[in-house]
Amino acid sequence: MQKWFSAFDDAIIQRQWRANPSRGGGGVSFTKEVDTNVATGAPPRRQRVPGRACPWREPIRGRRGARPGGGDAGGTPGETVRHCSAPEDPIFRFSSLHSYPFPGTIKSWDMSRKRHHLIPETFGVKRRRKRGPVESDPLRGEPGSARAAVSELMQLFPRGLFEDALPPIVLRSQVYSLVPDRTVADRQLKELQEQGEIRIVQLGFDLDAHGIIFTEDYRTRVCDCVLKACDGRPYAGAVQKFLASVLPACGDLSFQQDQMTQTFGFRDSEITHLVNAGVLTVRDAGSWWLAVPGAGRFIKYFVKGRQAVLSMVRKAKYRELLLSELLGRRAPVVVRLGLTYHVHDLIGAQLVDCISTTSGTLLRLPET
């Protein structure tokens, strides 16, 4: 232990003496270094340690006590020695990428700026959330006229299913799915009926089951199908008389006995022929509904298809189903008229509730 302390003292004493090779004759003299801070009473200065180049400090040239062309401690003569400045040295050189002396402060300032954008102002104007793209409803469009809604729904009617023997039929409830204001829809449909552009018939499976048919389509199908089927039969003349006199003059949904006998001159036997031909159906004693010949098959398909589509929604989780998902499924066999045709009916008849969500329209069975 004493040998170690003696070696440490010798190293300190040798450090205080500095080799001076400037003496003539190739000799070397040793001069004792005196710390000027100790001589003046100032606190001793921390020694600089030569080492690798420090990126925060430029190389110091012409250090105090070093002669030109001479060497310094830890280096060779004529070589510039790089020193790492002590922590208390006030000289710093900053990188051009960081103009602020404390990078940690810059990071904290950036984070606080981000938090400022995230946290809404308490007393200022509230920031509104930006709305993303909303999926368009494949059924509901912009509120339009009842005439345009009927024309659009006519395109969904499967004419090939009935071999083009039936005129395209649209239900009043389906029009409500495209024209949500029922008062406006009923008023426009009434105007079209008074103008003779459309005919409204009673389908029979429900009191509110009213079918809408264009008058021209009705006349064409009845003439092409019914008259050909009635050719040579006694009620063919009654059907032609009905199409020529009653259909253009009266656009009512039903006909009374006094109206048929006194106004249009039909006998009771002719009225019976019209019922047998399928042009009229009995409403009650002395009253008849306007009917579509051969519409019984359509009514059968429609009722079964409605129940099948309702069952698809009922079997879904929470008894609700996205409209896009429902239309993307494979239709059951009994849905002969098409899923879209029946979905318009379910929405307009209010058999399902429509709820707007970010994923699209949600169909939900109403609570009973």
Side-chain angles (χ1 to χ4, degrees):
M1 183 65 69
Q2 291 180 357
K3 184 183 293 185
W4 186 85
F5 275 110
S6 62
F8 183 70
D9 293 339
D10 293 341
I12 295 177
I13 294 173
Q14 292 177 5
R15 185 67 179 88
Q16 295 176 356
W17 293 88
R18 182 178 180 183
N20 187 3
S22 61
R23 183 176 177 179
V28 179
S29 64
F30 292 91
T31 58
K32 185 176 183 179
E33 290 184 348
V34 179
D35 195 347
T36 56
N37 296 328
V38 177
T40 57
R45 183 180 178 85
R46 183 173 178 177
Q47 296 293 333
R48 300 180 184 275
V49 182
R52 299 176 60 183
C54 181
W56 301 98
R57 179 70 182 270
E58 293 288 352
I60 302 175
R61 301 180 183 274
R63 183 181 177 186
R64 181 182 56 199
R67 299 181 61 181
D72 200 355
T76 61
E79 180 184 7
T80 303
V81 181
R82 299 177 180 268
H83 298 275
C84 292
S85 58
E88 66 271 15
D89 198 336
I91 302 176
F92 287 89
R93 184 177 67 87
F94 307 108
S95 174
S96 60
L97 298 177
H98 303 280
S99 59
Y100 198 79
F102 303 102
T105 309
I106 296 177
K107 184 177 181 181
S108 301
W109 179 67
D110 291 340
M111 293 300 293
S112 64
R113 183 173 56 181
K114 292 180 181 179
R115 288 194 295 268
H116 175 73
H117 288 290
L118 294 175
I119 302 175
E121 298 179 1
T122 306
F123 300 101
V125 180
K126 293 184 178 179
R127 183 174 300 165
R128 295 182 179 180
R129 180 181 298 177
K130 295 182 181 180
R131 293 187 176 183
V134 181
E135 295 185 3
S136 59
D137 196 330
L139 295 183
R140 289 180 177 269
E142 295 294 332
S145 64
R147 176 67 172 78
V150 172
S151 300
E152 181 179 350
L153 293 169
M154 289 291 184
Q155 304 298 324
L156 301 177
F157 185 81
R159 298 190 181 189
L161 181 63
F162 304 97
E163 300 176 355
D164 208 21
L166 282 180
I169 302 174
V170 172
L171 274 75
R172 186 189 294 265
S173 59
Q174 294 175 326
V175 178
Y176 293 155
S177 67
L178 297 178
V179 186
D181 193 339
R182 298 195 171 200
T183 303
V184 175
D186 291 339
R187 183 176 67 250
Q188 293 179 359
L189 290 176
K190 184 66 176 177
E191 294 175 357
L192 294 175
Q193 185 179 5
E194 292 175 354
Q195 295 172 3
E197 189 172 354
I198 63 172
R199 304 293 304 190
I200 298 180
V201 298
Q202 175 67 31
L203 296 178
F205 63 90
D206 194 359
L207 293 177
D208 296 331
H210 294 162
I212 302 173
I213 308 171
F214 283 122
T215 304
E216 189 63 28
D217 292 338
Y218 181 85
R219 183 183 292 110
T220 302
R221 294 300 182 275
V222 171
C223 290
D224 293 345
C225 299
V226 177
L227 291 182
K228 290 181 180 179
C230 299
D231 190 15
R233 296 186 181 184
Y235 50 82
V239 173
Q240 292 179 350
K241 182 180 179 180
F242 179 83
L243 295 177
S245 60
V246 179
L247 197 63
C250 182
D252 295 339
L253 179 63
S254 61
F255 304 95
Q256 304 297 326
Q257 185 174 9
D258 296 340
Q259 182 183 14
M260 292 292 294
T261 56
Q262 298 178 7
T263 304
F264 299 108
F266 280 89
R267 299 187 302 269
D268 293 342
S269 58
E270 293 178 334
I271 297 176
T272 304
H273 292 331
L274 293 176
V275 174
N276 294 335
V279 178
L280 298 178
T281 56
V282 178
R283 177 181 180 181
D284 51 28
S287 178
W288 299 271
W289 296 106
L290 179 66
V292 180
R297 190 162 59 133
F298 165 77
I299 296 174
K300 176 182 177 181
Y301 291 160
F302 182 84
V303 173
K304 289 185 176 181
R306 172 190 275 188
Q307 296 299 327
V309 177
L310 276 177
S311 179
M312 294 173 65
V313 181
R314 187 179 296 109
K315 292 179 181 179
K317 189 176 182 179
Y318 305 119
R319 299 175 49 155
E320 61 186 19
L321 192 63
L322 284 174
L323 177 59
S324 58
E325 183 180 353
L326 176 61
L327 296 178
R329 291 187 177 183
R330 184 177 180 179
V333 180
V334 294
V335 182
R336 307 290 298 275
L337 302 178
L339 279 175
T340 307
Y341 190 88
H342 285 288
V343 169
H344 277 291
D345 169 62
L346 297 182
I347 295 175
Q350 297 181 347
L351 298 178
V352 293
D353 296 333
C354 292
I355 303 172
S356 298
T357 64
T358 56
S359 301
T361 304
L362 182 69
L363 302 182
R364 177 183 297 171
L365 289 181
E367 297 181 358
T368 56

